[in-house]
mmCIF file with all atom_site columns, all heavy atoms in Angstrom:
data_model
loop_
_atom_site.group_PDB
_atom_site.id
_atom_site.type_symbol
_atom_site.label_atom_id
_atom_site.label_alt_id
_atom_site.label_comp_id
_atom_site.label_asym_id
_atom_site.label_entity_id
_atom_site.label_seq_id
_atom_site.pdbx_PDB_ins_code
_atom_site.Cartn_x
_atom_site.Cartn_y
_atom_site.Cartn_z
_atom_site.occupancy
_atom_site.B_iso_or_equiv
_atom_site.pdbx_formal_charge
_atom_site.auth_seq_id
_atom_site.auth_comp_id
_atom_site.auth_asym_id
_atom_site.auth_atom_id
_atom_site.pdbx_PDB_model_num
ATOM 1  N N   . SER A 1 92  ? 115.250 358.269 72.762 1.00 76.00 ? 92  SER A N   1
ATOM 2  C CA  . SER A 1 92  ? 116.062 358.878 73.815 1.00 76.00 ? 92  SER A CA  1
ATOM 3  C C   . SER A 1 92  ? 117.149 359.793 73.258 1.00 76.00 ? 92  SER A C   1
ATOM 4  O O   . SER A 1 92  ? 117.458 360.803 73.835 1.00 76.00 ? 92  SER A O   1
ATOM 5  C CB  . SER A 1 92  ? 116.692 357.794 74.685 1.00 76.00 ? 92  SER A CB  1
ATOM 6  O OG  . SER A 1 92  ? 117.483 356.946 73.881 1.00 76.00 ? 92  SER A OG  1
ATOM 7  N N   . GLU A 1 93  ? 117.730 359.432 72.144 1.00 75.00 ? 93  GLU A N   1
ATOM 8  C CA  . GLU A 1 93  ? 118.802 360.236 71.544 1.00 75.00 ? 93  GLU A CA  1
ATOM 9  C C   . GLU A 1 93  ? 118.520 360.409 70.065 1.00 75.00 ? 93  GLU A C   1
ATOM 10 O O   . GLU A 1 93  ? 119.073 359.706 69.235 1.00 75.00 ? 93  GLU A O   1
ATOM 11 C CB  . GLU A 1 93  ? 120.149 359.543 71.735 1.00 75.00 ? 93  GLU A CB  1
ATOM 12 C CG  . GLU A 1 93  ? 120.552 359.331 73.170 1.00 75.00 ? 93  GLU A CG  1
ATOM 13 C CD  . GLU A 1 93  ? 121.833 358.513 73.270 1.00 75.00 ? 93  GLU A CD  1
ATOM 14 O OE1 . GLU A 1 93  ? 122.587 358.450 72.287 1.00 75.00 ? 93  GLU A OE1 1
ATOM 15 O OE2 . GLU A 1 93  ? 122.068 357.955 74.334 1.00 75.00 ? 93  GLU A OE2 1
ATOM 16 N N   . GLY A 1 94  ? 117.626 361.305 69.736 1.00 79.00 ? 94  GLY A N   1
ATOM 17 C CA  . GLY A 1 94  ? 117.316 361.527 68.330 1.00 79.00 ? 94  GLY A CA  1
ATOM 18 C C   . GLY A 1 94  ? 116.553 360.355 67.744 1.00 79.00 ? 94  GLY A C   1
ATOM 19 O O   . GLY A 1 94  ? 115.401 360.151 68.049 1.00 79.00 ? 94  GLY A O   1
ATOM 20 N N   . ALA A 1 95  ? 117.225 359.563 66.913 1.00 89.00 ? 95  ALA A N   1
ATOM 21 C CA  . ALA A 1 95  ? 116.563 358.471 66.204 1.00 89.00 ? 95  ALA A CA  1
ATOM 22 C C   . ALA A 1 95  ? 116.866 357.106 66.823 1.00 89.00 ? 95  ALA A C   1
ATOM 23 O O   . ALA A 1 95  ? 116.793 356.096 66.158 1.00 89.00 ? 95  ALA A O   1
ATOM 24 C CB  . ALA A 1 95  ? 116.982 358.495 64.743 1.00 89.00 ? 95  ALA A CB  1
ATOM 25 N N   . VAL A 1 96  ? 117.198 357.069 68.109 1.00 95.00 ? 96  VAL A N   1
ATOM 26 C CA  . VAL A 1 96  ? 117.458 355.808 68.815 1.00 95.00 ? 96  VAL A CA  1
ATOM 27 C C   . VAL A 1 96  ? 116.314 355.559 69.797 1.00 95.00 ? 96  VAL A C   1
ATOM 28 O O   . VAL A 1 96  ? 115.975 356.427 70.593 1.00 95.00 ? 96  VAL A O   1
ATOM 29 C CB  . VAL A 1 96  ? 118.813 355.859 69.566 1.00 95.00 ? 96  VAL A CB  1
ATOM 30 C CG1 . VAL A 1 96  ? 119.044 354.577 70.344 1.00 95.00 ? 96  VAL A CG1 1
ATOM 31 C CG2 . VAL A 1 96  ? 119.957 356.119 68.595 1.00 95.00 ? 96  VAL A CG2 1
ATOM 32 N N   . TYR A 1 97  ? 115.717 354.369 69.715 1.00 97.00 ? 97  TYR A N   1
ATOM 33 C CA  . TYR A 1 97  ? 114.590 354.001 70.568 1.00 97.00 ? 97  TYR A CA  1
ATOM 34 C C   . TYR A 1 97  ? 115.056 352.926 71.535 1.00 97.00 ? 97  TYR A C   1
ATOM 35 O O   . TYR A 1 97  ? 115.649 351.926 71.119 1.00 97.00 ? 97  TYR A O   1
ATOM 36 C CB  . TYR A 1 97  ? 113.427 353.485 69.715 1.00 97.00 ? 97  TYR A CB  1
ATOM 37 C CG  . TYR A 1 97  ? 112.945 354.512 68.727 1.00 97.00 ? 97  TYR A CG  1
ATOM 38 C CD1 . TYR A 1 97  ? 113.556 354.655 67.486 1.00 97.00 ? 97  TYR A CD1 1
ATOM 39 C CD2 . TYR A 1 97  ? 111.900 355.364 69.044 1.00 97.00 ? 97  TYR A CD2 1
ATOM 40 C CE1 . TYR A 1 97  ? 113.129 355.610 66.578 1.00 97.00 ? 97  TYR A CE1 1
ATOM 41 C CE2 . TYR A 1 97  ? 111.464 356.325 68.148 1.00 97.00 ? 97  TYR A CE2 1
ATOM 42 C CZ  . TYR A 1 97  ? 112.081 356.441 66.919 1.00 97.00 ? 97  TYR A CZ  1
ATOM 43 O OH  . TYR A 1 97  ? 111.667 357.387 66.028 1.00 97.00 ? 97  TYR A OH  1
ATOM 44 N N   . THR A 1 98  ? 114.801 353.117 72.828 1.00 96.00 ? 98  THR A N   1
ATOM 45 C CA  . THR A 1 98  ? 115.299 352.179 73.820 1.00 96.00 ? 98  THR A CA  1
ATOM 46 C C   . THR A 1 98  ? 114.241 351.837 74.872 1.00 96.00 ? 98  THR A C   1
ATOM 47 O O   . THR A 1 98  ? 113.280 352.580 75.075 1.00 96.00 ? 98  THR A O   1
ATOM 48 C CB  . THR A 1 98  ? 116.536 352.731 74.562 1.00 96.00 ? 98  THR A CB  1
ATOM 49 O OG1 . THR A 1 98  ? 116.169 353.927 75.239 1.00 96.00 ? 98  THR A OG1 1
ATOM 50 C CG2 . THR A 1 98  ? 117.685 353.008 73.618 1.00 96.00 ? 98  THR A CG2 1
ATOM 51 N N   . ALA A 1 99  ? 114.489 350.708 75.523 1.00 96.00 ? 99  ALA A N   1
ATOM 52 C CA  . ALA A 1 99  ? 113.736 350.310 76.710 1.00 96.00 ? 99  ALA A CA  1
ATOM 53 C C   . ALA A 1 99  ? 114.688 349.474 77.554 1.00 96.00 ? 99  ALA A C   1
ATOM 54 O O   . ALA A 1 99  ? 115.442 348.657 77.025 1.00 96.00 ? 99  ALA A O   1
ATOM 55 C CB  . ALA A 1 99  ? 112.510 349.496 76.345 1.00 96.00 ? 99  ALA A CB  1
ATOM 56 N N   . THR A 1 100 ? 114.678 349.713 78.845 1.00 96.00 ? 100 THR A N   1
ATOM 57 C CA  . THR A 1 100 ? 115.477 348.916 79.773 1.00 96.00 ? 100 THR A CA  1
ATOM 58 C C   . THR A 1 100 ? 114.513 348.233 80.729 1.00 96.00 ? 100 THR A C   1
ATOM 59 O O   . THR A 1 100 ? 113.621 348.881 81.289 1.00 96.00 ? 100 THR A O   1
ATOM 60 C CB  . THR A 1 100 ? 116.485 349.796 80.537 1.00 96.00 ? 100 THR A CB  1
ATOM 61 O OG1 . THR A 1 100 ? 117.353 350.418 79.595 1.00 96.00 ? 100 THR A OG1 1
ATOM 62 C CG2 . THR A 1 100 ? 117.309 348.965 81.499 1.00 96.00 ? 100 THR A CG2 1
ATOM 63 N N   . LEU A 1 101 ? 114.672 346.937 80.886 1.00 96.00 ? 101 LEU A N   1
ATOM 64 C CA  . LEU A 1 101 ? 113.779 346.169 81.732 1.00 96.00 ? 101 LEU A CA  1
ATOM 65 C C   . LEU A 1 101 ? 114.488 344.939 82.269 1.00 96.00 ? 101 LEU A C   1
ATOM 66 O O   . LEU A 1 101 ? 115.565 344.575 81.792 1.00 96.00 ? 101 LEU A O   1
ATOM 67 C CB  . LEU A 1 101 ? 112.539 345.740 80.947 1.00 96.00 ? 101 LEU A CB  1
ATOM 68 C CG  . LEU A 1 101 ? 112.807 344.733 79.827 1.00 96.00 ? 101 LEU A CG  1
ATOM 69 C CD1 . LEU A 1 101 ? 111.701 343.717 79.801 1.00 96.00 ? 101 LEU A CD1 1
ATOM 70 C CD2 . LEU A 1 101 ? 112.896 345.461 78.501 1.00 96.00 ? 101 LEU A CD2 1
ATOM 71 N N   . ARG A 1 102 ? 113.881 344.328 83.249 1.00 95.00 ? 102 ARG A N   1
ATOM 72 C CA  . ARG A 1 102 ? 114.321 343.025 83.741 1.00 95.00 ? 102 ARG A CA  1
ATOM 73 C C   . ARG A 1 102 ? 113.262 342.022 83.278 1.00 95.00 ? 102 ARG A C   1
ATOM 74 O O   . ARG A 1 102 ? 112.061 342.330 83.340 1.00 95.00 ? 102 ARG A O   1
ATOM 75 C CB  . ARG A 1 102 ? 114.411 343.020 85.262 1.00 95.00 ? 102 ARG A CB  1
ATOM 76 C CG  . ARG A 1 102 ? 115.458 343.970 85.817 1.00 95.00 ? 102 ARG A CG  1
ATOM 77 C CD  . ARG A 1 102 ? 115.443 344.052 87.334 1.00 95.00 ? 102 ARG A CD  1
ATOM 78 N NE  . ARG A 1 102 ? 114.090 344.292 87.836 1.00 95.00 ? 102 ARG A NE  1
ATOM 79 C CZ  . ARG A 1 102 ? 113.528 343.615 88.833 1.00 95.00 ? 102 ARG A CZ  1
ATOM 80 N NH1 . ARG A 1 102 ? 114.184 342.692 89.474 1.00 95.00 ? 102 ARG A NH1 1
ATOM 81 N NH2 . ARG A 1 102 ? 112.302 343.886 89.221 1.00 95.00 ? 102 ARG A NH2 1
ATOM 82 N N   . PRO A 1 103 ? 113.654 340.855 82.810 1.00 94.00 ? 103 PRO A N   1
ATOM 83 C CA  . PRO A 1 103 ? 112.641 339.883 82.398 1.00 94.00 ? 103 PRO A CA  1
ATOM 84 C C   . PRO A 1 103 ? 111.572 339.652 83.472 1.00 94.00 ? 103 PRO A C   1
ATOM 85 O O   . PRO A 1 103 ? 110.397 339.496 83.148 1.00 94.00 ? 103 PRO A O   1
ATOM 86 C CB  . PRO A 1 103 ? 113.471 338.616 82.133 1.00 94.00 ? 103 PRO A CB  1
ATOM 87 C CG  . PRO A 1 103 ? 114.792 339.162 81.678 1.00 94.00 ? 103 PRO A CG  1
ATOM 88 C CD  . PRO A 1 103 ? 115.015 340.384 82.531 1.00 94.00 ? 103 PRO A CD  1
#
Side-chain angles (χ1 to χ4, degrees):
S92 58
E93 299 174 21
V96 177
Y97 300 85
T98 61
T100 300
L101 67 140
R102 296 174 310 133

